[in-house]
Amino acid sequence: MKVLVCIKQVPDLESRFKPNAEGLWFNETDLAWRMNEYDEYAVEQAVRLREQLGEGAELTVLSIGPDRVVEAIKKALAMGADKAVHVQDPAVAGKDPWQVASIIAAYAKGEGFDIIFTGLQSQDRGSAQVGVSVAEQLGYACSTTLVGFEYDSGTIIAKRELEGGLKGVVKLKTPALVTCQLGLNVPRYPTLPNIMKAKKKEIAQIAVADLLVEEPVAATVSFHAPARKGGGIVLEGALEDLVDRLMGILNEKTAVLR
Amino acid sequence: MKALLIGEYREGKLLDSTNELFGFAAQLGAETAMLLVGSDSALPSYGGTLYLADAAVCGEYNPDLHKQLIVEAVGRENPDCIVLMHSSYGWDLAPRVAAALKSAQVSEVTGIVADGFEVGCCNAKMRRTVKPSTAKAVITIQGGAFPAQAPGGSPQVVKVSGAAGGGLEFLGYEPAEKKGVDLTKAEVIVSAGRGVSKKDNIPLIQALATALKGELGASRPVVDAGWVEHSHQVGTTGQTVSPKLYVACGISGAIQHLAGMKKADFIVAINKDRDAPIGEVADVLVVADVLQFVPALTARIGR
Amino acid sequence: MEATREIYWNVGHGVVWPMYLFAFVAMGIAAWGFWRRLAVYRQGRALNRVDQLPRRIALMLQGMLAQGKVVRVLDPGILHALFFWGFGLLFIGTLLIMAQADFSVPVFGIVFLKGTFYQLFSLVLDVAGLVALVMLCGLLVRRFFIKPDGLETIRDDYVVHALLLAIVLTGFVTEGVRMAATELAVNPGLARFSPVGLLVARAFASLSAEELLLTHKVLWWVHFFLAVAFIAAIPFTKLRHIFTTSANYLFCDLGPKGALATINLEDETVEQFGAATIADLSWKDIFDADACTSCKRCQDRCPASATGKPLSPMKVVKQIGELARTNPAGNLIDTVSRDALWSCTTCRSCQEICPANVEHVNKIIEMRRNLTLMEGEFPGDEVRTAASNIEVNGNPFGLAYASRGDWADGLPVTLMESGEEVDILYFVGCYASFDKRNREIARSFVTICAAAGIKVGILGKEEKCCGEPVRKLGNEYLYQMMAQENIELIKAYRVKRIVTTCPHCFNTLARDYKDLGLDLPVEHYSTFVNRLIGDGSLQLSPTPEPFDFTYHDSCYLGRYMDIIDEPRQVLLAAGGRLTEMDRSGMDSFCCSAGGGRILAEEKLGGRISAERVKMAQQTGAPLLVSNCPFCLTMFEDGIKTGGCEGELKVRDLAEIVAERIRA
């Protein structure tokens, strides 16, 4: 059985973001990189499935981007993926979700994956489109926002996280694609033997030009910091002073202290 | 400009968020039609064309069929955009519609600007303006970003139906865990975020909530870490609240949380980061260390 | 009358061959006993502890004979030392008798146990025996009647006390009976030189001559067989410590204090990291269990034990020994327990006080290495998050690495990347870089350097966590990753000298980084500042009134690096008046944040930092001065949770000095 998990390397969200020279995405200087948090859950679930399936199963991890994404790929290999595919594309940040999905679908088409895992969305762009788009392009059954996953003989029982703590239970038949929500599992911390083994695992390199056929369908016109909303008061200074001023404001603007 | 709005229906009820779709359309200046897989006992207060499929037959969650119904409605209405909520229903369905229509999708729109749609990114710290280049576009809108305005009237219902596709079967709902606290009724909520640093400090926040005669709320990371029980969670996967006063302690303002509390009458944020995104929605941002400011404030209120 | 004694009087020279026969049999049994134990030690990995042999032998002899470490704790240290010296003298006395009776007389016809020498010999042995007897009684009373907290008494203890008591008592009675027959009436001048024997002799004076001879013969053989039993019993009872503990002085760690084995991560053949079973430990780790005399001094000083955590250093050592003997394939970590392992702060109180040179700390770290590197386990989710943060952003807080140097904005500090010459590289560390309270340390240090005309360089956003906390938690991989990045940069910038304000960074850069290729002078700012004051570069103007303070010796500066006096000198030069806590210097009590625990929440037992803050309060001083950002953080917390706000303030040494620089 063949399983695929798609991951994205994103900047650490604690970073301060500044628009790049073109003003269309963030400047990459001084950013720390990590695997997209949603994808960590996807990788963990994929590895657990692979462990459940045992002999004869194979888990591939795929990522698109410049050379630095190999770090994220290595982490997925250290968590337990068997092999990797790195689609080399230094300009992936400029592609829209439809194009990104098409690259993945072009790779996956001939490979016959039974189950594909992705994260629900990426932490930087957050469009939550790529996973479902890949499923549509491949004609796979698909469900999103998984906080529960069970597999048995071609059938997936998935729990979706809905609003207000409610969950929806869905049954899917493979081939299927699922997108993973935070809290689906507890991603394992790679053990050292696995980190060392990962160094020997195959990372196939594919040039994006070999896979990309789709034109962009949406353009980013501008990437900018939000305009400071007028009307919001910012209080700074010594502690007691701040308490005084806030008390004054609360008394003036609300009835909570009466 | 015409918009096909996709309403949401769950557990026998029309979701309130449906009305935000009208608000969006109004801002866009678009005429509207709506599609809803629901029931004629729960119709929106809206006078336009409503393509209604029976949820009892088509299923409340059946994305392939819902996609099919939408595509058919698009064929009949020829809208410029198809608008859904950016919800567990919407983000699941929209890309399927977009693929079927070979149209661009713009997700979680927070505003309409001259050259496109404004969306948040990088954990709400930054903004993007996106312009679809296809004839039609699928749009999902952020909960709470647009006013909920039911236009009024009774819809002209057009009954639609279809056959379910293979591959996916909805098995039912699992109810949420027992609700300890109903934050939706609270008039004052004081919420703890990651800036509170550790579980031991939660009582400090609770103390402020008590002093203000309010309830304790929490952001998702705090609940995930087990510092506070789930029923206190405010945000898209917790509760959406609209208290008179909302105090966000050590909460940075991730979109999912903001969506849950934006509608509060008065918002105070306490955060040591002057540029925290919560500052966007806060009426007052106190730049201070939560662990020092909150006890000092609690003490002052006590006097 | 002559001052001498007929050896083998009454028992006759015929006793020689059975005596030697039984003695050899006993020694053979003892040898066999040790041989069996050797097989147990051999289950551990190889480790070279016989290099620099002359030095080791000297250390062993000194340690054994001077009993220096034993008397560090006066009660019962002095009891044991005196007993040891007493019994030792008696043993030497016996050897001298053997030497004369079985060698010098038959071969050379020389008698040396005569005259003044024999008088001295008799007196010394009698006094030695008496001292030994009194001390033995003291130890007996302590163990069986006073019963100090935590002192375990087992069957062994009954056997050993009984045996020793019996030997000493039968020795004196045998002597007394002999003297009653040979000296009491006949040679009273000589009898005076065996005062105890004399007393005993008087008690037997009423016996007839035949009775005396018979009694003496019986007692002699009883005493002899007790001695033989003693020899044979050595490896099978606590008496083995005579050899094992002494040997442990020979096998001690001659490396720098706190050095850990640096795992070779390039070696692809290694599949097991850390210790999960006995076979993963070294032979010395197993041997330590036999060298340990269960004196519980380590347990008494362990801050985790003191606050109700399930960690006892002594117990860990003993558990390893027991597992090695009874179930070598068993899981070490399950036996010791994870809670116990994670509770250790690596403060080194245990190792510092241990009179048997047992090495407690590294065993714990080896087991932690197994948990972290082989199982991916952490003491808590918050630690896992911190480790992830270190991996992504080079600091445990998860703050953007690009802001690491922001604390220095506007201060006279040079960024190394500018290429300008600097006098020192100030390795700031994560806490002083990012934590609000600890940034004061960094700023104060810069102020001090500016006043002394020292040009300070920092790595700024290029600096990464030194890796120490995660290393002590067992994550050797993440530690080496961080270390390599730091070392590459430091080398690339051709740094000549490093100064740091954090004892953990200090230990790591000065000692641990040597294994990874960095060999530069690294100093902690307390000795650095002390020198600046000493050579006049830094001039302080103390306030007119001395400020009262108490001083906390951090574990990693005090016990690890022996830096006790210099920080005090600095504070006195700044005009301080010091009231020491009871637990100070090498006996200082940990703040709880060592061993990587700064990253973890303290969930078990009482708060160690609160205990220490109480100790500071008890001195009556309004100010507690520390020299480590972890200690500062823990004490600020401890003061708040302990409710001493307003009564006690904690500040770092750098802050005190910076405020008192002569303008």
Side-chain angles (χ1 to χ4, degrees):
Chain A
M1 216 173 119
K2 289 179 76 171
V3 182
L4 174 70
V5 60
C6 304
I7 65 171
K8 183 180 183 185
Q9 187 190 53
V10 299
D12 174 62
L13 272 303
E14 285 296 315
S15 315
R16 212 135 264 174
F17 292 99
K18 285 190 283 261
N20 61 13
E22 298 83 40
L24 296 179
W25 198 228
F26 47 72
N27 183 325
E28 293 200 358
T29 328
D30 282 353
L31 292 181
W33 298 92
R34 52 161 300 164
M35 192 193 297
N36 182 34
E37 204 179 343
Y38 294 87
D39 298 347
E40 283 184 4
Y41 293 92
V43 172
E44 173 64 21
Q45 200 60 51
V47 172
R48 287 189 190 186
L49 175 63
R50 195 243 173 278
E51 287 170 345
Q52 180 193 328
L53 296 171
E55 281 297 308
E58 186 187 68
L59 172 60
T60 306
V61 56
L62 173 146
S63 192
I64 309 172
D67 288 338
R68 57 169 164 73
V69 308
V70 170
E71 284 312 304
I73 290 176
K74 282 202 182 130
K75 174 131 194 221
L77 289 171
M79 283 171 75
D82 299 301
K83 57 198 262 268
V85 172
H86 171 204
V87 180
Q88 287 159 325
D89 185 3
V92 66
K95 295 185 171 59
D96 61 46
W98 178 252
Q99 288 181 299
V100 171
S102 72
I103 296 168
I104 300 172
Y107 164 72
K109 210 158 209 105
E111 298 286 324
F113 292 107
D114 299 277
I115 302 182
I116 303 180
F117 290 88
T118 76
L120 168 64
Q121 64 188 41
S122 65
Q123 290 172 284
D124 51 3
R125 184 153 65 187
S127 62
Q129 291 179 34
V130 171
V132 183
S133 297
V134 170
E136 290 298 295
Q137 293 184 37
L138 292 175
Y140 279 31
C142 169
S143 192
T144 66
T145 330
L146 262 65
V147 287
F149 177 92
E150 271 161 34
Y151 173 79
D152 186 22
S153 321
T155 303
I156 297 170
I157 305 288
K159 276 198 196 150
R160 303 187 64 229
E161 186 186 67
L162 311 181
E163 287 72 22
L166 190 66
K167 295 193 179 72
V169 187
V170 180
K171 181 154 83 166
L172 298 123
K173 288 220 167 339
T174 60
L177 182 147
V178 292
T179 81
C180 304
Q181 169 62 299
L182 308 176
L184 168 60
N185 49 46
V186 179
R188 67 196 61 195
Y189 192 78
T191 65
L192 186 53
N194 283 344
I195 293 175
M196 313 219 58
K197 269 188 225 142
K199 293 191 182 163
K200 299 219 187 81
K201 292 179 180 172
E202 176 206 333
I203 305 180
Q205 304 278 341
I206 304 182
V208 67
D210 295 346
L211 297 172
L212 178 66
V213 291
E214 294 289 327
E215 291 298 318
V217 293
T220 302
V221 168
S222 158
F223 174 85
H224 52 269
R228 291 257 95 191
K229 192 176 91 163
I233 308 167
V234 177
L235 300 181
E236 284 180 279
L239 195 66
E240 283 307 313
D241 189 45
L242 290 175
V243 174
D244 284 337
R245 285 152 79 193
L246 182 63
M247 292 290 288
I249 295 171
L250 286 177
N251 269 315
E252 199 193 306
K253 306 266 177 157
T254 72
V256 292
L257 296 170
R258 288 176 212 149
Chain B
M1 180 60 101
K2 190 194 233 184
L4 176 66
L5 313 176
I6 313 300
E8 276 190 47
Y9 176 89
R10 179 175 300 152
E11 291 189 295
K13 287 194 270 285
L14 177 71
L15 297 191
D16 287 342
S17 58
T18 302
N19 289 331
E20 294 176 38
L21 298 168
F22 297 119
F24 173 76
Q27 238 181 64
L28 202 55
E31 45 168 305
T32 59
M34 179 173 259
L35 181 134
L36 173 69
V37 179
S39 144
D40 51 20
S41 60
L43 296 178
S45 178
Y46 162 65
T49 311
L50 172 64
Y51 295 89
L52 181 69
D54 189 354
V57 172
C58 298
E60 290 183 5
Y61 178 70
N62 195 344
D64 288 326
L65 176 54
H66 290 215
K67 164 188 77 178
Q68 203 184 305
L69 296 169
I70 293 172
V71 168
E72 283 163 9
V74 166
R76 289 158 84 160
E77 289 289 329
N78 197 26
D80 301 284
C81 56
I82 300 92
V83 190
L84 302 91
M85 295 305 300
H86 194 74
S87 64
S88 63
Y89 175 75
W91 67 56
D92 186 287
L93 185 50
R96 305 177 202 246
V97 174
L101 298 174
K102 297 210 184 316
S103 299
Q105 176 183 334
V106 186
S107 308
E108 204 167 13
V109 169
T110 54
I112 303 164
V113 292
D115 41 0
F117 297 100
E118 185 120 309
V119 301
C121 49
C122 303
N123 228 23
K125 287 187 180 181
M126 304 296 283
R127 300 283 179 275
R128 269 193 321 145
T129 308
V130 184
K131 192 180 164 118
S133 56
T134 50
K136 295 183 174 29
V138 176
I139 312 284
T140 66
I141 63 172
Q142 187 187 79
F146 297 92
Q149 332 171 311
S154 291
Q156 299 165 38
V157 175
V158 175
K159 291 228 157 114
V160 290
S161 67
L168 187 149
E169 192 188 325
F170 181 56
L171 299 180
Y173 294 106
E174 222 177 67
E177 290 125 31
K178 276 249 160 313
K179 267 205 174 97
V181 146
D182 188 357
L183 296 175
T184 56
K185 308 263 188 319
E187 299 222 316
V188 176
I189 298 176
V190 179
S191 279
R194 259 202 269 235
V196 162
S197 203
K198 50 184 161 190
K199 190 175 183 172
D200 289 355
N201 294 326
I202 296 291
L204 295 177
I205 314 298
Q206 175 70 70
L208 180 59
T210 308
L212 289 169
K213 300 198 195 30
E215 295 289 350
L216 175 70
S219 65
R220 191 198 175 113
V222 160
V223 172
D224 279 350
W227 300 351
V228 175
E229 188 259 318
H230 184 270
S231 65
H232 294 271
Q233 188 172 317
V234 173
T236 49
T237 51
Q239 300 182 55
T240 301
V241 300
S242 49
K244 298 212 163 33
L245 171 66
Y246 189 88
V247 184
C249 307
I251 295 177
S252 64
I255 293 191
Q256 294 87 344
H257 186 82
L258 290 186
M261 42 64 77
K262 276 205 301 205
K263 296 192 222 180
D265 288 349
F266 198 79
I267 298 172
V268 175
I270 305 158
N271 198 304
K272 49 180 156 182
D273 182 3
R274 207 181 186 283
D275 297 319
I278 193 121
E280 280 305 289
V281 301
D283 295 286
V284 182
L285 169 64
V286 179
V287 182
D289 182 348
V290 168
L291 300 178
Q292 303 204 322
F293 185 81
V294 168
L297 180 63
T298 310
R300 180 70 65 83
I301 294 169
R303 279 189 239 139
Chain C
M1 266 219 71
E2 249 238 282
T4 191
R5 156 152 66 104
E6 182 196 337
I7 312 297
Y8 303 130
W9 168 82
N10 188 35
V11 294
H13 280 262
V15 302
V16 175
W17 71 262
M19 195 177 74
Y20 272 95
L21 176 68
F22 280 111
F24 278 125
V25 168
M27 285 194 270
I29 294 173
W32 172 75
F34 275 116
W35 178 256
R36 275 199 336 166
R37 294 191 96 82
L38 199 66
V40 175
Y41 311 144
R42 282 219 182 98
Q43 289 173 118
R45 287 182 300 105
L47 181 68
N48 185 7
R49 287 290 177 89
V50 290
D51 57 321
Q52 303 181 60
L53 207 48
R55 185 171 161 210
R56 289 181 178 280
I57 292 175
L59 283 170
M60 178 176 81
L61 290 174
Q62 185 201 1
M64 266 174 74
L65 300 176
Q67 296 274 292
K69 286 193 175 182
V70 175
V71 301
R72 234 194 249 170
V73 178
L74 278 180
D75 159 38
I78 203 76
L79 293 176
H80 179 276
L82 287 171
F83 173 78
F84 171 75
W85 290 320
F87 206 80
L89 283 169
L90 289 170
F91 179 66
I92 293 173
T94 311
L95 289 178
L96 285 173
I97 290 179
M98 260 176 62
Q100 178 184 286
D102 307 321
F103 183 69
S104 80
V105 161
V107 179
F108 299 109
I110 294 177
V111 173
F112 53 85
L113 291 169
K114 64 178 182 190
T116 323
F117 179 69
Y118 181 71
Q119 286 168 339
L120 189 65
F121 176 84
S122 301
L123 184 60
V124 167
L125 290 190
D126 249 39
V127 170
L130 181 62
V131 167
L133 182 62
V134 172
M135 296 302 128
L136 183 58
C137 290
L139 290 166
L140 197 146
V141 164
R142 173 178 179 263
R143 179 175 285 279
F144 295 101
F145 297 99
I146 299 178
K147 297 203 231 193
D149 247 337
L151 189 67
E152 243 179 49
T153 296
I154 53 176
R155 196 197 56 167
D156 248 21
D157 292 299
Y158 290 94
V159 169
V160 170
H161 279 82
L163 200 53
L164 290 171
L165 204 54
I167 290 176
V168 179
L169 284 173
T170 54
F172 272 125
V173 177
T174 310
E175 181 192 37
V177 173
R178 169 179 61 75
M179 285 170 68
T182 62
E183 288 174 30
L184 192 56
V186 179
N187 197 352
L190 179 60
R192 285 187 294 132
F193 286 95
S194 305
V196 182
L198 183 57
L199 271 170
V200 178
R202 290 213 179 107
F204 283 91
S206 57
L207 263 63
S208 73
E210 290 91 35
E211 282 171 330
L212 281 175
L213 291 178
L214 183 61
T215 312
H216 174 262
K217 223 182 227 172
V218 169
L219 281 170
W220 193 96
W221 279 105
V222 169
H223 181 82
F224 170 71
F225 278 113
L226 283 172
V228 160
F230 173 89
I231 293 170
I234 290 175
F236 303 100
T237 61
K238 276 189 174 182
L239 288 171
R240 72 178 80 90
H241 84 274
I242 296 172
F243 291 96
T244 56
T245 306
S246 308
N248 232 25
Y249 279 81
L250 189 74
F251 299 136
C252 69
D253 185 0
L254 292 176
K257 278 200 261 190
L260 294 176
T262 299
I263 300 179
N264 180 5
L265 295 173
E266 304 290 308
D267 186 353
E268 296 183 352
T269 62
V270 180
E271 290 193 343
Q272 163 66 22
F273 300 100
T277 63
I278 291 297
D280 301 323
L281 295 172
S282 73
W283 66 264
K284 173 71 165 50
D285 288 321
I286 305 171
F287 186 78
D288 272 343
D290 271 3
C292 170
T293 58
S294 302
C295 75
K296 76 170 180 68
R297 288 183 188 178
C298 56
Q299 190 173 281
D300 286 343
R301 274 158 193 74
C302 173
S305 293
T307 48
K309 296 166 179 56
L311 171 66
S312 155
M314 179 172 88
K315 196 158 165 221
V316 174
V317 171
K318 286 300 190 206
Q319 281 169 324
I320 290 175
E322 199 181 318
L323 205 63
R325 282 191 308 277
T326 59
N327 182 17
N331 187 296
L332 197 51
I333 293 172
D334 289 341
T335 305
V336 174
S337 98
R338 283 160 173 74
D339 279 345
L341 286 173
W342 293 126
S343 293
C344 178
T345 66
T346 68
C347 75
R348 254 187 109 85
S349 278
C350 46
Q351 260 175 260
E352 200 59 44
I353 201 70
C354 180
N357 276 358
V358 170
E359 295 162 58
H360 312 69
V361 179
N362 286 15
K363 298 179 197 351
I364 291 175
I365 295 186
E366 282 301 317
M367 286 186 262
R368 284 181 173 184
R369 280 178 170 178
N370 187 74
L371 283 173
T372 306
L373 300 175
M374 301 297 289
E375 308 293 329
E377 279 187 43
F378 293 88
D381 283 336
E382 74 282 6
V383 180
R384 196 202 152 119
T385 305
S388 279
N389 290 338
I390 290 173
E391 207 176 310
V392 173
N393 267 306
N395 68 79
F397 312 106
L399 296 170
Y401 79 83
S403 58
R404 193 178 181 108
D406 288 356
W407 67 269
D409 282 349
L411 296 180
V413 163
T414 308
L415 280 174
M416 297 306 285
E417 64 181 0
S418 68
E420 285 172 49
E421 283 291 312
V422 295
D423 294 319
I424 58 163
L425 169 67
Y426 170 31
F427 191 90
V428 189
C430 299
Y431 267 74
S433 298
F434 289 105
D435 179 71
K436 183 163 173 240
R437 177 68 186 90
N438 282 289
R439 278 175 165 183
E440 291 307 311
I441 302 180
R443 294 200 184 100
S444 300
F445 180 65
V446 169
T447 306
I448 293 169
C449 288
I454 305 280
K455 193 142 190 257
V456 175
I458 61 168
L459 292 168
K461 69 182 182 219
E462 295 186 298
E463 184 185 281
K464 296 242 166 344
C465 176
C466 68
E468 192 263 0
V470 292
R471 184 175 212 211
K472 300 296 158 65
L473 285 170
N475 199 336
E476 184 71 3
Y477 180 73
L478 183 55
Y479 154 69
Q480 287 195 21
M481 210 161 85
M482 293 294 113
Q484 298 290 12
E485 294 190 39
N486 282 326
I487 291 171
E488 260 172 51
L489 273 175
I490 292 171
K491 282 183 167 166
Y493 286 129
R494 300 178 184 280
V495 171
K496 300 283 180 313
R497 141 171 260 116
I498 301 175
V499 180
T500 170
T501 45
C502 171
H504 293 265
C505 297
F506 173 43
N507 272 262
T508 309
L509 268 63
R511 178 194 61 220
D512 297 11
Y513 277 19
K514 281 206 170 74
D515 285 354
L516 296 171
L518 187 73
D519 199 350
L520 283 181
V522 181
E523 249 190 297
H524 184 256
Y525 79 98
S526 58
T527 51
F528 181 72
V529 168
N530 195 38
R531 265 192 304 114
L532 293 177
I533 295 174
D535 69 26
S537 321
L538 182 69
Q539 308 218 332
L540 300 182
S541 65
T543 47
E545 282 298 310
F547 61 92
D548 286 304
F549 73 102
T550 184
Y551 177 71
H552 170 79
D553 292 283
S554 64
C555 306
Y556 275 76
L557 201 62
R559 273 185 290 274
Y560 274 81
M561 285 294 188
D562 297 309
I563 296 176
I564 309 282
D565 294 325
E566 292 93 326
R568 284 171 170 75
Q569 284 166 21
V570 170
L571 288 164
L572 293 178
R577 187 162 50 197
L578 169 61
T579 310
E580 297 274 13
M581 291 183 264
D582 284 338
R583 300 237 2 214
S584 63
M586 291 305 234
D587 210 21
S588 186
F589 188 85
C590 183
C591 76
S592 84
R597 289 207 55 88
I598 184 74
L599 306 177
E601 283 181 38
E602 201 174 353
K603 295 187 192 118
L604 301 169
R607 297 196 79 99
I608 293 172
S609 54
E611 284 303 304
R612 188 51 167 170
V613 165
K614 250 192 261 168
M615 294 180 199
Q617 245 196 321
Q618 274 159 11
T619 64
L623 176 66
L624 168 60
V625 183
S626 60
N627 55 51
C628 168
F630 291 1
C631 297
L632 185 65
T633 306
M634 296 315 296
F635 293 147
E636 288 283 14
D637 201 47
I639 288 172
K640 283 197 201 97
T641 55
C644 333
E645 280 175 280
E647 288 171 39
L648 183 66
K649 259 193 144 93
V650 60
R651 307 193 72 208
D652 187 271
L653 186 144
E655 296 178 291
I656 306 289
V657 172
E659 283 170 359
R660 287 167 176 76
I661 297 176
R662 184 166 305 170

